[in-house]
Amino acid sequence: MKICVFDDWHVGVIQGNQVADITALVDSWEPVWPYAWMLTFIEGFERKRSAIEQHVKTAPRRPISEVQFHAPVPMPSKVIAAPVNYRLHQAEMGGTQGVYAGFSIKTIEHYGLFLKPSSAIVGPDAVITLPFQNRRTDHEAEVGVVIGRQVKNVVEADADAAIFGITGLLDLSVRGPEDRPFRKGFDGFCPIGPVVVTRDEIPDWDDIGFALAVNGLVRQQGNTRDMIYGIRRLVSLASYQTTLHPGDIIASGTPDGVGSLKPGDVMQLTVDHVGTLTVPIASAYAEPPADMGDWFEGFKIARGAPA
């Protein structure tokens, strides 16, 4: 199934060019923050699947063109991200011409995983404001893996059963010397969507293609077959670091083609089976609090810690 959240935080199933409203089957649904009902819906999805399939047949429907999609998992307990999980991305970040020229860029094999705050999540068409005019902010196109049940210490052979599905995900990143959670944790720096596709509709975890266009020009093209750590290994590693809960999201890493963004840009991420996530950048940079002074003025990309 293709699961979405739309309009006044209703839950829907995409069928063709329509959205079938299944909110009536979502326990404790209330259209107010923190939208935790989506997490219990994911946890109980398999138990309710037959009921959902029956409900969809007669559920109220709206054309996709008439609804506003939100992030399909609005507030997970955490987002776990994989740094430098593609060899060609490793190459473009280092070397003589890389963003961090002169640095030795390592991979997920050395860095492990890091966390992004769930407050960074936004959905389709949410306008993202870049935080610093004097700092480079990059797009990173990724496949997001949504966890379906509480697990700990999962081995790769059992990882499939822990996965609810996949979604499109953009890991926006300010370049510079600070730790990743700071540079990648600003509001809006984790757009996801437009839907979550359940795992039964994914024929091969190691063959999911995706592409990112900025202002209509393709900048990134990737496939999960090229990841250093595949999706199952990421789930296993993440579950060793921390207990995974329903709705948790793993950002699986970005391929080469990472580039900078500027005010007014429009990103479109297309992921196999999922569809296209469109995210615009605001027309002006954010204004930091006046008492921050020149705290960021001295930092240059050349001094930054890689990735």
Side-chain angles (χ1 to χ4, degrees):
M1 289 187 195
K2 291 185 176 180
I3 309 295
C4 67
V5 175
F6 68 100
D7 289 349
D8 190 19
W9 302 99
H10 285 227
V11 180
V13 173
I14 305 292
Q15 290 205 319
N17 62 357
Q18 295 185 318
V19 179
D21 193 330
I22 63 167
T23 310
L25 299 183
V26 179
D27 294 336
S28 303
W29 179 82
E30 289 288 345
V32 293
W33 184 88
Y35 318 113
W37 38 262
M38 196 61 192
L39 308 184
T40 56
F41 172 80
I42 289 172
E43 190 277 333
F45 178 78
E46 290 300 331
R47 295 192 301 273
K48 288 189 172 183
R49 186 174 190 125
S50 294
I52 292 171
E53 291 171 344
Q54 288 299 314
H55 186 81
V56 164
K57 295 177 181 179
T58 58
R61 294 172 182 267
R62 295 274 305 283
I64 288 177
S65 60
E66 296 181 4
V67 305
Q68 174 61 58
F69 290 108
H70 301 294
V73 188
M75 189 59 66
S77 76
K78 53 189 167 293
V79 179
I80 303 168
V84 196
N85 198 24
Y86 288 78
R87 296 292 183 192
L88 291 180
H89 177 52
Q90 177 190 22
E92 75 176 350
M93 298 306 286
T96 58
Q97 303 297 320
V99 174
Y100 295 104
F103 281 87
S104 174
I105 307 299
K106 296 180 173 61
T107 72
I108 186 173
E109 298 162 300
H110 300 87
Y111 292 136
L113 302 170
F114 66 95
L115 296 176
K116 288 171 71 83
S118 55
S119 55
I121 288 178
V122 292
D125 298 319
V127 178
I128 298 171
T129 301
L130 303 180
F132 305 119
Q133 186 168 357
N134 64 331
R135 299 284 294 275
R136 172 172 166 168
T137 298
D138 286 359
H139 55 73
E140 297 188 6
E142 310 196 12
V143 174
V145 180
V146 182
I147 299 301
R149 60 188 181 91
Q150 181 172 319
V151 291
K152 178 67 176 175
N153 290 336
V154 175
V155 297
E156 289 185 53
D158 296 333
D160 287 27
I163 299 172
F164 178 67
I166 65 167
T167 190
L169 184 148
L170 290 164
D171 175 22
L172 273 64
S173 306
V174 173
R175 300 304 176 193
E178 301 90 0
D179 285 344
R180 289 182 184 86
F182 177 83
R183 294 185 289 105
K184 294 170 173 278
F186 289 92
D187 288 351
F189 270 35
C190 191
I192 64 170
V195 302
V196 175
V197 178
T198 54
R199 68 172 185 262
D200 56 292
E201 296 196 13
I202 310 301
D204 187 351
W205 295 122
D206 297 321
D207 188 16
I208 303 172
F210 56 102
L212 175 72
V214 178
N215 303 328
L217 299 177
V218 175
R219 289 191 180 181
Q220 290 188 269
Q221 289 184 295
N223 192 292
T224 55
R225 74 169 68 96
D226 298 320
M227 294 197 301
I228 297 170
Y229 280 9
I231 286 176
R232 293 181 179 90
R233 189 168 183 80
L234 288 174
V235 172
S236 179
L237 177 59
S239 74
Y240 176 70
Q241 177 194 12
T242 180
T243 300
L244 300 179
H245 296 284
D248 284 355
I249 299 171
I250 299 176
S252 61
T254 194
D256 58 312
V258 165
S260 61
L261 296 164
K262 64 182 186 304
D265 283 345
V266 177
M267 298 178 288
Q268 289 186 301
L269 170 64
T270 301
V271 178
D272 286 353
H273 316 291
V274 175
T276 299
L277 170 65
T278 300
V279 182
I281 302 297
S283 60
Y285 290 95
E287 290 289 338
D291 59 1
M292 286 180 65
D294 297 328
W295 194 77
F296 291 98
E297 290 296 329
F299 291 121
K300 304 298 180 184
I301 290 300
R303 294 177 56 193

